[in-house]
Every structure is written in structure tokens, then in C-alpha cells.
């Protein structure tokens, strides 16, 4: 058994101090050769090899994490034995001497690794990850790494960050924290025992009682935390004390005096070894741990240690016991290296992957083997020289000073590197929302304008990590089962909108609050982290078990909506990848939607956003000049969304779906951007930054205020065209047809009846998709001749229901050209009466609604109704009933919504023109006779989109296509929709 000389310093020739004990960072010092346990040295080899195999992802060895349990038990055994023997021998425990030995044994090697990691991190990791790493270095140097990682792994909002190269320091921190309490506690017990009896041997029974109580309490706590929070149970010191306690009881109880058959001790050792091997082979990431499962490797290690305690038959033990195998030269050699090997292997693996990406297990094994070299060097030139230096060991304070130095050096280096990196990363203060660029309400672009290429990314990567919705504690944590009231905006208003779902719903807090505020409504947020809104049973990674709290919260939230005041609207959203079983997901959604439908209010589902699956701010921090390098795989990021698909097809009653994915991840390429228009979109690996959400607010507000908004309930969509498709493709032939040439078949009206000079084609030079969700109609000039595009909807039956309303709208960006270069440009969105297709005669009696026209690049648009007869009549042809020109300086290049509503409800009977939701022109049915009104407007319309060149209208405005006119400026169309609403009461 390890002993100390009366002076408390290692005896000459001592060798038991060489290998680390217990945990990979512990070691008993000051013992004589006669008491040296070669089997424990070999047991350390098994433990470290098991951990290394686990970290290298070797197939079949997924339970290698139990090696840490082996270290803890052995550490408790050796350190407790050392301290108690000193107390029995001298009547006291010299804490200064004890901590001096610990400091020179452990801290210099750890310091070398920490310094190397801090330095390598500055080269191998991106800046934002570097700041995290330097914080890890500080925590590891101060022996609190386990609590830092507990906080990270139980914080849902900190999810998505890469593994730390210092994660393995958690076990070293647990050991150091145990010793900082355990050694003083035993010292205090030794003093009390010495006073109670002259001989220090009275310490043992007292220590056994205290150790037994602590071990039992810690084990019960471990079971409790394993059920409640697996990260806290695995990494927390209180839930691991019982394993040290088992080792301590081995050292405190007189096992060597036990009588029994010789074979029993041998069987005990071999059974323990077999159990350890079984754990390595059978345990995996799905094993609830530590909990009850940790009893097996803990007691198995105790059995191996117990079998090696010198007994009455030492020859039989040496010849047939498991200690014979563990004490062979090879295991002992690995055991001596176990501490430094444990220190080096994980940083080598993680930093290599930070540089080269995810590696397969053969490469990880090779890197683990390569870590033997720095481990040997550290043992040879750092650990042993300082550990056995006469100068250092002569006085305890010198060892302690060495330990302090070993802690200070990596801390100072980490702080210097970390603060320098933060300066390079830019501001960390929250972004001022008032200074953000204006988001586009529609169209394929995120912003209304194009930011300069050299403008900074907003938010900065540091800001992005903290860019959460400003909803306080309303996105409730995993352990919470009921949301607080969480009312925002006009909290006294009787009207409210409800935002319901998981954190992917919570990311829309700012846009939905803006939508509610503009209507004088309150916003109620019912959001829970990691909790699927569809009724699914899932495992929460922070808790490490079935997420019962989610089921309780979901039921509570739905019940509150049922019992509380009736909301005006419910906005729902949820991560769509809790399961890849489509049928299961839809069935789960139906269970949740049933009570929501019973509320009788509009339900809007916001389609789930892309999930990058990588730490986006960290990546961008390393590519500020080239954020495109952080784009991520579109196929992996955008999963199919069955609810969105069915709702869009009208197969989910009472639910309307909206989404912004056409902007966040256009269909034109294989990747999704991490930064769009210099806006950093994601705060982690799955959630939008609040800055991105604020920029998207105008778009979300427009979508929420669509045809199914509360103020306009009851709309039925007849046509919805988003123009999705690859760049250069044609619009869908199932919905659109081309007009070609210079007139309709039979040429009833040459030059399309307007005098325009272009020839219309079906070439993609003139009509094409841009790959970002928009249609482009482009006039071109070739050999002195103008060509352009004109498409019509195949359907020509767009009409209001009796007494109802027809709404036709499009989101359009006019050609971005003005002045002389725009001479003759005539972009238009309009309709013609269905009767015109019967021989293409009968205009204007069949009706024409010019929803939007603009000429010659003016910053103005207008609308017109044509009806009646070709000369004069109720619509004053050929000019028609036109609106005054509407100033629209932002309409060139930016998307705006142009719409008409034909309202046939009693008392209304009018046609209204809208620009971005504002009525600017009306024509009443009373302006003409009923027959003219009905023929022009109630017998069906078809839609037309085109860009003409020249003609009567541009000429009347004072310009036409000439030498200065520039070809190639497109009219872009983001969407076209046609909807109807039944008469009230139908």
C-alpha cells in the first residue's frame, strides 16, 4: 500500500508516484516499491484506451466512455488511502504538502496542453470559435471546465456550436473539485479523531461513516439528475462523488482481513474485468448515463481493485488473478502514459476536424495514435523533471507556486488571444433595429435596395450569437411546463394574435409583434424550446430523456386558448424534422390543429426555415470578406414540409401557409446563403437572427395580411403563381401561354391595336424565370428590331361570385431604366374579357382592366378600365376611365403590389385599384348601364403580363423607342394571385 515517509515527502526510490491514479489526472505519490500496485497501472491503461477508442469512434466500442468511471474509482481509492495513512501515521494531514504534490504532478502538463491549444486555436479555428475556445482554456485552467460545459449543454439557445477541444477537461475538473473538498474534510476528521483518541487510527470508522453517507447521497442525486438533466448528471461534480466514494471505501475498509475461499477473490477480479469489457461493447449513446448503468463499471472497477489488494494467498493472486494480465509490461507502459495521453488526444482530434472537416474513424484512430508523440514528450520533458526536481519538492510552497504559475500562464494567454480576436470581430453591442436596411415586402430580394459590397455584415458574428427575439423569458426552457402570460404590444386591447410553437415559431416574434402593433392588437406568445407543436413524443437532448414537459406544455397551451378570450389570429410554426415519417407527422399535426380549428379563427402556418446544420456565425467570422464560403447544402437544409404542402393545396381546412424560403434559399442553386444582402441570417445552426427576422418583417406582415387575414376572412384562391424554378426556365405551361408576333391570330388589330413596334416571342431571351422566384420579361434589340414577351393565363374564368368580390394582384418590379434610355418602354399587368378569345373581336365591350401601366420609365403608374364602345361611350374610349398618375419613385427595380378588386356586394358595386394596399382609383357601377358593366366585368377575365415598346400611349407621353433607348431592362414579377370572396352570409 502507498505510504509516506514521516516528513510527508516521497521516500527515496519511490516509483508508485510515476503513473497517474484514478482519473487520468490523478496520482498517488510518496509510496514504496513494496506497496506498488502494477495491476492499477494496467487498469489505467484499460481505462484510457477505452476512452480513446470511444473518442475515435471505433466501431463496436461505443461504451468506451466508462473509462472515466474507472479513473474516478481508482482515484478515490489511491488518494483516500494516501491521506488516511498519513493521518494514521502522523496524526494529521499536511494539506500544503498534499496540494503541492498534486500541483507539480498535474498542472504543468495540463498547462502545456492548454497553452498549445490556445495557440493552435488562433491558427486552426475561425475567430468566433476562437473566442469560445479561449474561454474554455480559462475554465479548464481554473478547474471549472465541467460547469462551463454543463451550462452550454443545458442551454438550448446555445445549441449548435462545435465541440470544444478541451471538453475532456471536464473529468479533470471533477477530480480537482473533489480533492479540494475531500482532502480538507479528511484533515478536519483527522484532527477531531486525534482529539477524541490519542491514536489517529480512530479516523477510519469516522471516515467510513462520512464516506458512506456522501456516497449514498451522491448516488441518489445521480439517479435524480439522470432523469431530469443528463448533462448535469454526467458532467456535474455532485453526481460523480459517489464513484470516488466507492474507491474511498475500498481504501478505508479492512478488506485484506476478509476470510473466504481463495477462488472467490480470483473470481471477483476476473468478473470485474469481464464486466468492464462488456460495458465497453454494449453501452452506447442511448444508454441513460450515469444513473443505474454507471453501477456496473463502477462496481466492476472496485472488484478488480479489491481482487488485487494483498491477501492471505499472494502467490495465487499473482499467478491466476486478473492483476497478472494488467501488470504486464505493455499495459503498465500505457498506464504510465495515460495522463498525458488523455490530455493530448482530444485536442488533436477536434483541432484536426476544425481544419479539415469531419473525419471517418480510421483517420480519427490515426490521429489518436499520433497524439502519443506529444504525450511522450510532455511526460519526458515536463511531467517527470518537475515532479522529481529536488528544488521543487524541497518545500511545499515551491510546488504550490509552480501550480499557480501553471494556471496563470494559459489564463493570461487565453485572455490576450480572446480579447484581440473580439476586437477583430467588431462590435458586440446589440444591433440598433432602427438602423437596419429596409426589407422588401415581396420579391426575390431580401432588401428594397442593394447594399454596397464593402458594407459590413449585419449583425456581426459576435452580435449574431446574441441576436435573440426580445421576448424575455417567454421562450420557456425544457423543464418548464406552462408559459407565463407573455402579452406584448397593446396589452389592454381585446384583440390579440397568438404566436404558438417551438423556437422556430419564436424566431418570428419581432415580425408578428410588428404586425399586431400596426393593428392595435396584443401579441400573446406561447413558445417552448425544442417542443414540437404537432403531438409527437420526442427525446430532449438537454434532458437526455423523453420530453414529458413538452406534452404537458402543449396540452396546457391549447387549453388556455380554448378557455381564454378568442384571438383574432393564431400563427403557428415548428421545426419540421422531429420525425421523417410523413404520415406520422401529418397525423400528429392533425391532433394539434383540431382544437385550434375549434376556435373558429384564421390559422396561419409559417413554413419552417432552412436548417444549416453548422455553426453559421462561427463560419462567417472566418470569411467576412467572402461569406459565400459559408453557404450550406440546400438539399440537407430544406426538408420537405408536409403540412405546408398540404395547406398550400387547400387540403388542410382552416389553415393557410406562408413562407419566406424562396428568399432565404432560392431554388436556383444547390446551396443556401448564410449571408444575404450583407445580412447574417442565422444565429446558430438552426435559427434566424432577430436582425434577419426584423428585415423580413415587411414580408411577413404582408403574408399575414393576405387574403385570409382576419379583416378579410373567407377568401378562396383561384390562382397562385410564385414563379419558382431554375434560372432560364419558362413559366409553367399548365398555367400560362404565349402571345407571339404582332397581333392575335387573324390579325384583327395590327400592332396589337396600340401601335407598339416590338415582335412578341416565346424565347427565353424575352420571357424567363430568374431562378430566385421571379419572372422576367425583357425587351431586346436585334438587327434594329425590337423583341419582347407577352404571356396570358390559360384560365379566362376569373369572375366574382354573385354578390362577392374578385381580387387580382401581382408583385412587380418595373424596369430599372429612366430618362432617354427608357423611351418607349411600356410595362403592363392587365386583363381582357374572356369573350375576346372567341375570334379576338369585341373590344372594348368585352372589358379590359389595366391593373398597372407605366410608360417611358416615369416614376409613376396608373390604372384604367376599358368598356362599352370603341369611340366614346361610358368609358370614354379610346382613353378609358383612367386614374391620375400615381407617383411611385421606388417602383423601378423594387417590388410593389398592384391589385384590383371587383366588388359586387350590394351597396358597393365598384372596381378599386390598389398600390401597396392603398386605394387610389375607383370606378362605380353607377357610371354606366348595368349591361355594359356586366359584360365588361362579370363574364370572366384572363390575365396578361407584357412589356411593349413604343405605341400610342408612350407617344402621348412624349417619347418613343429611339436610338437612345436601352434594351435589356426587365420587368420582374414575383407573384400573381387571383382570389374570390363569397357574399356576406353565404
Amino acid at each position: 500500500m502507498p505510504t509516506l515517509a514521516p516528513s510527508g515527502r516521497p521516500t527515496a526510490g519511490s516509483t508508485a508516484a510515476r503513473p497517474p491514479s484514478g482519473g487520468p489526472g490523478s496520482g498517488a505519490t510518496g509510496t514504496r516499491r513494496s506497496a506498488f500496485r502494477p495491476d492499477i497501472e494496467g487498469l489505467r491503461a484499460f481505462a484510457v484506451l477505452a476512452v480513446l477508442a470511444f473518442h475515435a469512434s471505433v466501431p463496436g466500442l461505443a461504451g468506451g466512455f466508462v473509462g472515466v468511471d474507472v479513473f474516478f474509482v481508482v482515484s478515490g481509492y489511491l488518494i483516500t488511502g494516501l491521506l488516511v495513512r498519513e493521518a494514521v501515521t502522523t496524526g494529521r494531514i499536511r494539506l500544503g504538502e498534499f496540494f503541492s504534490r498534486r500541483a507539480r504532478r498535474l498542472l504543468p502538463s495540463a498547462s502545456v496542453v492548454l497553452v498549445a491549444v490556445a495557440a493552435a486555436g488562433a491558427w486552426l479555428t475561425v475567430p468566433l470559435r476562437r473566442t469560445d475556445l479561449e474561454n474554455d482554456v480559462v475554465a479548464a485552467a481554473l478547474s471549472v471546465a465541467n460547469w462551463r460545459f454543463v451550462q452550454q449543454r443545458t442551454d438550448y439557445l446555445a445549441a449548435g456550436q462545435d465541440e470544444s477541444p478541451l471538453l475532456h477537461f471536464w473529468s479533470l475538473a471533477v477530480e480537482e473539485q473533489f480533492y479540494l473538498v475531500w482532502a480538507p474534510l479528511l484533515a478536519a476528521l483527522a484532527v477531531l479523531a486525534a482529539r477524541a483518541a490519542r491514536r489517529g487510527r480512530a479516523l477510519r470508522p469516522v471516515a467510513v461513516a462520512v464516506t458512506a453517507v456522501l456516497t449514498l447521497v451522491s448516488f441518489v442525486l445521480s439517479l435524480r439528475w439522470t432523469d431530469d438533466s443528463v448533462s448535469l448528471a454526467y458532467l456535474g461534480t455532485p453526481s460523480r462523488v459517489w464513484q470516488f466514494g466507492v474507491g474511498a471505501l475500498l481504501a478505508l475498509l479492512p478488506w485484506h482481513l476478509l476470510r473466504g475461499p481463495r477462488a472467490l477473490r480470483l473470481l471477483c477480479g476476473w468478473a470485474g474485468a469481464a464486466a468492464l469489457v462488456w460495458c465497453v461493447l454494449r453501452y452506447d449513446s442511448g444508454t441513460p448515463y450515469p444513473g443505474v448503468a454507471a453501477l456496473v463499471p463502477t462496481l466492476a472497477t472496485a472488484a478488480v481493485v479489491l481482487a488485487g489488494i494483498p491477501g492471505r494467498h499472494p502467490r495465487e493472486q499473482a499467478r491466476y488473478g486478473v492483476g497478472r494480465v494488467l501488470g504486464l509490461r505493455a499495459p503498465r507502459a500505457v498506464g504510465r502514459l495515460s495522463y498525458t495521453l488523455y490530455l493530448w488526444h482530444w485536442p488533436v482530434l477536434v483541432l484536426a476536424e476544425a481544419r479539415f472537416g469531419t473525419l471517418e474513424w480510421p483517420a480519427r484512430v490515426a490521429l489518436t495514435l499520433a497524439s502519443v508523440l506529444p504525450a511522450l514528450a510532455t511526460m519526458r520533458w515536463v511531467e517527470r523533471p518537475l515532479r522529481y526536481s529536488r528544488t521543487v519538492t524541497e518545500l511545499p510552497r515551491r510546488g504550490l507556486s509552480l501550480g499557480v504559475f501553471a494556471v496563470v500562464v494559459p489564463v493570461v494567454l487565453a485572455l490576450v488571444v480572446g480579447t484581440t480576436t473580439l476586437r477583430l470581430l467588431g462590435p458586440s453591442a446589440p444591433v440598433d433595429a432602427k438602423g437596419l436596411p429596409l426589407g422588401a415586402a415581396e420579391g426575390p430580394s431580401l432588401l428594397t435596395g442593394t447594399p454596397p459590397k464593402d458594407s459590413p455584415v449585419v449583425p456581426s458574428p459576435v452580435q449574431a450569437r446574441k441576436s435573440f427575439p426580445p421576448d424575455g423569458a417567454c421562450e420557456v426552457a425544457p423543464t418548464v411546463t406552462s408559459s407565463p402570460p407573455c402579452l406584448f404590444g397593446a396589452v389592454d386591447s381585446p384583440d390579440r394574435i397568438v404566436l404558438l410553437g417551438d423556437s422556430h415559431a419564436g424566431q418570428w416574434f419581432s415580425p408578428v409583434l410588428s404586425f399586431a402593433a400596426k393593428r392595435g392588437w396584443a401579441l400573446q406568445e406561447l413558445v417552448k424550446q425544442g417542443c414540437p407543436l404537432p403531438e409527437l413524443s420526442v427525446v430532449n437532448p438537454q434532458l437526455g430523456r423523453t420530453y414529458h414537459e413538452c406534452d404537458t406544455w402543449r396540452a396546457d397551451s391549447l387549453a388556455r386558448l380554448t378557455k381564454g378570450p378568442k384571438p383574432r389570429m393564431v400563427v403557428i410554426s415548428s421545426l419540421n424534422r422531429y420525425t421523417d415519417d410523413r404520415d406520422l407527422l401529418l397525423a400528429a399535426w392533425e391532433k394539434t390543429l383540431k382544437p385550434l380549428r375549434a376556435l373558429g379563427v384564421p390559422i396561419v402556418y409559417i413554413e419552417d426555415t432552412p436548417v444549416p446544420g453548422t455553426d453559421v456565425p462561427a463560419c462567417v467570422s472566418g470569411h467576412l470578406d467572402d461569406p459565400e464560403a459559408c453557404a450550406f447544402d440546400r438539399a440537407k437544409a430544406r426538408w420537405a414540409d408536409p403540412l405546408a404542402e398540404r395547406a398550400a393545396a387547400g387540403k388542410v381546412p382552416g389553415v393557410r401557409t406562408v413562407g419566406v424560403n424562396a428568399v432565404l434559399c432560392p431554388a436556383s442553386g444547390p446551396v443556401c446563403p448564410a449571408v444575404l444582402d450583407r445580412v447574417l441570417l442565422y444565429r446558430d445552426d438552426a435559427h434566424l437572427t432577430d436582425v434577419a427576422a426584423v428585415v423580413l418583417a415587411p414580408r411577413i406582415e404582408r403574408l399575414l395580411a393576405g387574403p385570409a387575414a382576419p379583416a378579410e376572412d373567407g377568401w378562396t384562391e383561384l390562382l397562385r403563381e410564385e414563379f419558382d424554378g431554375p434560372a432560364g426556365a419558362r413559366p409553367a405551361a399548365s398555367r400560362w401561354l404565349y402571345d407571339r408576333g404582332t397581333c392575335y391570330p387573324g390579325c384583327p388589330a395590327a400592332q396589337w391595336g396600340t401601335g407598339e413596334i416590338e415582335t412578341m416571342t416565346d424565347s427565353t431571351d424575352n420571357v424567363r424565370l430568374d431562378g430566385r422566384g421571379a419572372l422576367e420579361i425583357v425587351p431586346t434589340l436585334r438587327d434594329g428590331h425590337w423583341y419582347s414577351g407577352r404571356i396570358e393565363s390559360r384560365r379566362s374564368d376569373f369572375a366574382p361570385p354573385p354578390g362577392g368580390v374578385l381580387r387580382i394582384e401581382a408583385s412587380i418590379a418595373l424596369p430599372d431604366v429612366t430618362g432617354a434610355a427608357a423611351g418607349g418602354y411600356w410595362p403592363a399587368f392587365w386583363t381582357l374579357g374572356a369573350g375576346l378569345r372567341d375570334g379576338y373581336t369585341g373590344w372594348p365591350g368585352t372589358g379590359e382592366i389595366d391593373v398597372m401601366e407605366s410608360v417611358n420609365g416615369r416614376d409613376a403608374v396608373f390604372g384604367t378600365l376599358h368598356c362599352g364602345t370603341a369611340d366614346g361611350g361610358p368609358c370614354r374610349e379610346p382613353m378609358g376611365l383612367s386614374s391620375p398618375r400615381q407617383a411611385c419613385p421606388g417602383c423601378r427595380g423594387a417590388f410593389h403590389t398592384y391589385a384590383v378588386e371587383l366588388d359586387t356586394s350590394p351597396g358597393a358595386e365598384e372596381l378599386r385599384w390598389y398600390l401597396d394596399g392603398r386605394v387610389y382609383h375607383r370606378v362605380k357601377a353607377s357610371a354606366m348601364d348595368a349591361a355594359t358593366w356586366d359584360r365588361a366585368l362579370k363574364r370572366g377575365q384572363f390575365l396578361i403580363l407584357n412589356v411593349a415598346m413604343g405605341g400610342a400611349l408612350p407617344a402621348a407621353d412624349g417619347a418613343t423607342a429611339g436610338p437612345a433607348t436601352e434594351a435589356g431592362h426587365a420587368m420582374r414579377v414575383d407573384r400573381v394571385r387571383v382570389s374570390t370572396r363569397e357574399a356576406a352570409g353565404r
Side-chain angles (χ1 to χ4, degrees), residues 478-496:
T479 56
V480 179
T481 57
S482 180
S483 289
C486 289
L487 286 176
F488 300 88
V491 296
D492 295 329
S493 172
D495 298 315
R496 63 192 171 102

Side-chain angles (χ1 to χ4, degrees), residues 50 93 101 193 561 695 747 779 868 932-933:
I93 295 175
R101 292 194 303 268
L561 292 179
V695 172
C747 215
T932 299
W933 176 263

Side-chain angles (χ1 to χ4, degrees), residues 606-656:
I606 302 181
E607 182 183 2
D608 192 26
T609 49
V611 175
T614 186
D615 189 346
V616 171
C619 179
V620 173
S621 73
H623 299 87
L624 289 174
D625 295 329
D626 182 29
E628 290 79 8
C630 295
F632 46 90
D633 190 303
R634 186 178 192 276
K636 294 180 180 178
R638 287 194 61 179
W639 278 29
D641 197 325
L643 180 65
E645 294 169 4
R646 289 181 61 82
K651 298 180 180 179
V652 185
V655 178
R656 179 168 63 93

Side-chain angles (χ1 to χ4, degrees), residues 185-201:
L185 177 61
L186 286 181
L189 293 177
V191 171
L192 294 175
R195 291 178 179 177
R198 291 184 177 181
R199 302 190 65 186
R201 291 181 179 83

Side-chain angles (χ1 to χ4, degrees), residues 69 302 331 865 882:
D69 304 68
L865 173 64
S882 284

